[in-house]
Amino acid sequence: MASSANISRREALKRTALLVGGLVSAPVWSSALTGCAPTSDGPLVLLSEAQFELVAPMTDIIIPPTDTPGARAAGVPRFIDRMVGDSFLAKDRKRFMDGLQAFGAQVRAAHQRPFAELSRALQTAAVATLDDDTFGPDAPPPDPEAPSFFRMFKELTLVGYYTSEVGATQELRLNIVPGYYDGNVPFADIGRAWSQD
């Protein structure tokens, strides 16, 4: 899902790794390096329509639309479908799909409706609980070789977004021909991070 603005996938992934604190699990890292061209239409690779309708709003909760498009508009749900379906090892794909199914079942049991039919507030609360269980202070230490479902999901969302054309050119403001570098510019003067080729 590399930008059309001449940024290499490897460079985009390095920058994305910096955004997530340098820790990207092995399944996501190795899959992202294999490459994946997003499509906005056509058949899904792995996910059912119901699973896709669970994944799509989850990505927009992680990276919502603001003055730039959110994860869904950047094609991240299709990116996740392709990455997990085409590039994950079978054991990682199973762990991801089992986690997605368990989350969907947990939400349905709690609210008697699928995730896609919940209000945005309830969706956000459910994802926030997953996030706290995975990244909160009481969360178990991560296993980079066998990461949890939500760790993979969040990493895929970030990698998919920040290696997309939207993420690289609108969110990060890709500057292909950088000029003078000043490392001490107040953030308020630029408004968001810059990505330089």
Side-chain angles (χ1 to χ4, degrees):
M1 198 161 162
S3 160
S4 63
N6 297 333
I7 184 172
S8 73
R9 177 171 298 279
R10 188 173 299 275
E11 183 61 28
L13 287 169
K14 279 198 282 185
R15 294 174 189 170
T16 301
L18 291 173
L19 289 170
V20 296
L23 296 174
V24 176
S25 63
V28 173
W29 185 256
S30 63
S31 297
L33 285 174
T34 66
C36 171
T39 58
S40 58
D41 55 4
L44 293 166
V45 172
L46 174 67
L47 301 175
S48 68
E49 288 295 331
Q51 290 167 331
F52 187 80
E53 289 306 314
L54 173 58
V55 166
M58 286 176 70
T59 64
D60 254 4
I61 289 167
I62 294 170
I63 303 178
T66 56
D67 61 330
T68 58
R72 188 175 197 161
V76 173
R78 291 270 180 176
F79 173 83
I80 290 172
D81 174 57
R82 296 277 311 271
M83 291 293 284
V84 177
D86 285 344
S87 301
F88 268 34
L89 296 175
K91 63 181 179 146
D92 299 319
R93 182 180 307 115
K94 181 177 182 342
R95 191 168 54 259
F96 183 92
M97 295 304 291
D98 287 351
L100 184 66
Q101 181 178 353
F103 176 65
Q106 178 184 8
V107 167
R108 187 179 285 275
H111 302 287
Q112 290 72 53
R113 288 180 292 165
F115 185 80
E117 294 178 12
L118 299 180
S119 69
R120 183 62 169 219
L122 288 175
Q123 288 177 341
T124 301
V127 172
T129 298
L130 265 182
D131 193 85
D132 190 52
D133 290 346
T134 305
F135 299 102
D138 297 327
D143 179 351
E145 297 302 319
S148 68
F149 155 70
F150 190 67
R151 179 172 294 276
M152 289 188 290
F153 188 93
K154 194 167 188 179
E155 289 173 355
L156 283 167
T157 300
L158 293 170
V159 169
Y161 187 77
Y162 287 106
T163 60
S164 73
E165 184 171 354
V166 166
T169 62
Q170 294 181 45
E171 178 66 23
L172 293 177
R173 294 182 180 174
L174 178 66
N175 184 3
I176 294 179
V177 184
Y180 169 74
Y181 175 75
D182 183 355
N184 192 20
V185 177
F187 185 73
D189 291 353
I190 59 171
R192 59 175 51 96
W194 286 81
S195 169
Q196 296 188 1
D197 192 29

